[in-house]
Amino acid sequence: MAYNKGKYPFEAASKIAHMEVIRDPALAEILQGLRSDTPATVPPGFLKTGTVDLSKPHEISTVVTVDGGMTTIPNPKRREKRVAFIQVGIMLLSLEDLDRIAEDIFMDPRRLNAYLKRIDRYPSIVPLSGVRRPGRTLRDSNREILNAILSPPWTGLYDVLEFLLWRGWLGPTSPMPDRSMDCVQCRRVFSLPKQRTFSCPHCGFDHYLSDYLGLTTETEDNGREQLASMVMATVELLALFLLPMKLCKARKLERLREILLIKDGPLMLRAEGYRIVDGVREFVEWLYARGHCLNLVGVEKTGDFAEFIQDFEKQLPEPGDYFLPSRKFVVEQVQGRSFDPGKYRNRVSFGSRLGVRLSPTHMVALQLPTSTLDEGGPLEPKPADMSALGNCIRALSRLTSTKPDNAILPLVLANSAVSLSDRPSAGILDDYLTQMAGATA
Ligand SMILES: [Zn+2]
């Protein structure tokens, strides 16, 4: 994200500050704050929480990165006709490959291309405007598209959605969680059956399982960019849990300790996404309670916390130093809102934030899941709540890249791979699982 950091805004602010009409002390202070170039004062509560010893070994050998890219494609002759082309990719690289790429900055582009191909792509299209289907309402068109996106041969990610909604990790005989939804047509509530298509018991209207996600109801043309980004975020989240699901079904969860899962962006799904997030929370809690490893990390490259952490480099001087803030600290000191623990609710997150120094030049904002995830995690998370903390930071410290600032190499590669033009998926994950099966047989 680009910000205008030029001198022009400061000059403008200075002119305003000197205008006689402005005598309000609060406004004067705000403008003074904008002009200030002295270092930010350390807010109360900002203390180094601890240090991860980066010299200790870890077991991670494979890095799986999930990232999404979205492009708006207009019809060149009729600009009002536009669709959003979404591409979510799961990139799988060995730590050795990544070391080789990091060491060889003048790498032959053909060799780099070979690495970039190590990605499974999940392409989708969401109509934005001017693209109507005869005899279909906008709502029903959207519903059919979302159903098609989650079905094979598009992404086939219904498998992951069902796994998360119906507690697939407990096996087929486990009691079904209570889930209900509003009918798309008559709006009355009914219990969700364990099927991909079903009818409303009140009015008989035919539904898809994807209707449960509540993404496509009441979407007008102007909300459609938002719908497209929600679809992308949903596909990213489901893609993130594809490998853990496959390992769970193959009864190979012990192999999770070899894998670092990196998500581009925070560990959350906004708005109606809570319906998947509660399944994610239960699965992650179950994994940790059973003593399984889940080296999962969200990397926030933009946003309040990512910017905040850059101002306090001196507080985390050594590689491995980290700051694990309370929710109160994030809400009050970072987002500048007031925090009431009695009213705090969170249905969208499955991780807690931390600021980490990965190298002499790398300060990053991360999110990691905690062992309990009610309301997104404890109000005051402790290092002991994050069993994957040491593993994740040790592995990430080997994956730093200098371009752009604070970058993490697998994310740089995944960004560039999902922004390339469409290429057929190579079935990388399935190849990996087949190899894994061969290695343990
Ligand atoms: Zn109905």
Side-chain angles (χ1 to χ4, degrees), residues 149-378:
I149 287 171
L150 296 179
S151 304
W154 280 57
T155 68
L157 287 171
Y158 258 141
D159 287 347
V160 185
L161 179 61
E162 287 174 326
F163 179 81
L164 293 171
L165 294 184
W166 303 122
R167 298 178 182 150
W169 52 95
L170 297 178
T173 52
S174 73
M176 243 173 68
D178 244 352
R179 292 189 174 273
S180 59
M181 66 178 285
D182 291 348
C183 170
V184 168
Q185 185 71 16
C186 74
R187 312 304 303 167
R188 277 183 284 179
V189 182
F190 64 92
S191 291
L192 189 68
K194 211 171 169 175
Q195 290 159 5
R196 287 192 188 174
T197 54
F198 44 86
S199 308
C200 167
H202 311 295
C203 73
F205 186 81
D206 289 329
H207 287 76
Y208 306 113
L209 177 57
S210 53
D211 292 331
Y212 177 67
L213 302 178
L215 290 179
T216 54
T217 42
E218 314 296 334
T219 311
E220 299 300 330
D221 265 8
N222 55 11
R224 305 189 105 213
E225 307 258 355
Q226 205 184 338
L227 167 67
S229 51
M230 276 303 295
V231 169
M232 180 169 84
T234 304
V235 173
E236 280 181 304
L237 182 64
L238 294 175
L240 187 66
F241 284 92
L242 183 60
L243 185 58
M245 177 198 77
K246 288 186 177 212
L247 289 174
C248 185
K249 286 185 171 175
R251 297 175 184 275
K252 290 190 188 305
L253 280 174
E254 72 285 357
R255 305 296 295 258
L256 274 176
R257 64 182 60 255
E258 301 160 22
I259 297 162
L260 174 65
L261 282 165
I262 304 177
K263 179 181 184 289
D264 189 359
L267 300 182
M268 64 151 70
L269 191 57
R270 287 178 204 283
E272 301 296 322
Y274 69 86
R275 290 162 189 236
I276 310 180
V277 169
D278 65 358
V280 167
R281 287 177 177 179
E282 281 190 48
F283 180 44
V284 172
E285 286 179 342
W286 178 84
L287 283 171
Y288 286 141
R290 290 296 177 98
H292 289 296
C293 219
L294 179 69
N295 303 308
L296 168 62
V297 58
V299 179
E300 291 188 279
K301 292 184 296 193
T302 57
D304 291 343
F305 190 65
E307 282 172 34
F308 173 88
I309 203 76
Q310 304 306 328
D311 281 342
F312 302 101
E313 289 193 85
K314 289 200 181 76
Q315 277 62 44
L316 304 174
E318 298 298 323
D321 286 352
Y322 64 92
F323 168 51
L324 179 53
S326 65
R327 301 263 158 182
K328 179 180 161 73
F329 184 94
V330 173
V331 172
E332 291 189 343
Q333 303 295 337
V334 182
Q335 298 165 344
R337 295 183 283 122
S338 64
F339 181 78
D340 178 352
K343 286 188 182 148
Y344 183 77
R345 292 286 173 275
N346 182 320
R347 299 212 287 180
V348 296
S349 299
F350 53 100
S352 295
R353 291 190 160 89
L354 65 166
V356 185
R357 178 177 287 284
L358 291 179
S359 82
T361 55
H362 279 74
M363 289 279 287
V364 291
L366 306 179
Q367 287 197 9
L368 262 77
T370 44
S371 48
T372 57
L373 285 167
D374 271 358
E375 306 296 347

Side-chain angles (χ1 to χ4, degrees), residues 95-106:
L95 213 56
E96 284 159 18
D97 287 341
L98 287 161
D99 280 344
R100 223 168 287 147
I101 298 170
E103 279 161 15
D104 186 1
I105 53 166
F106 300 112

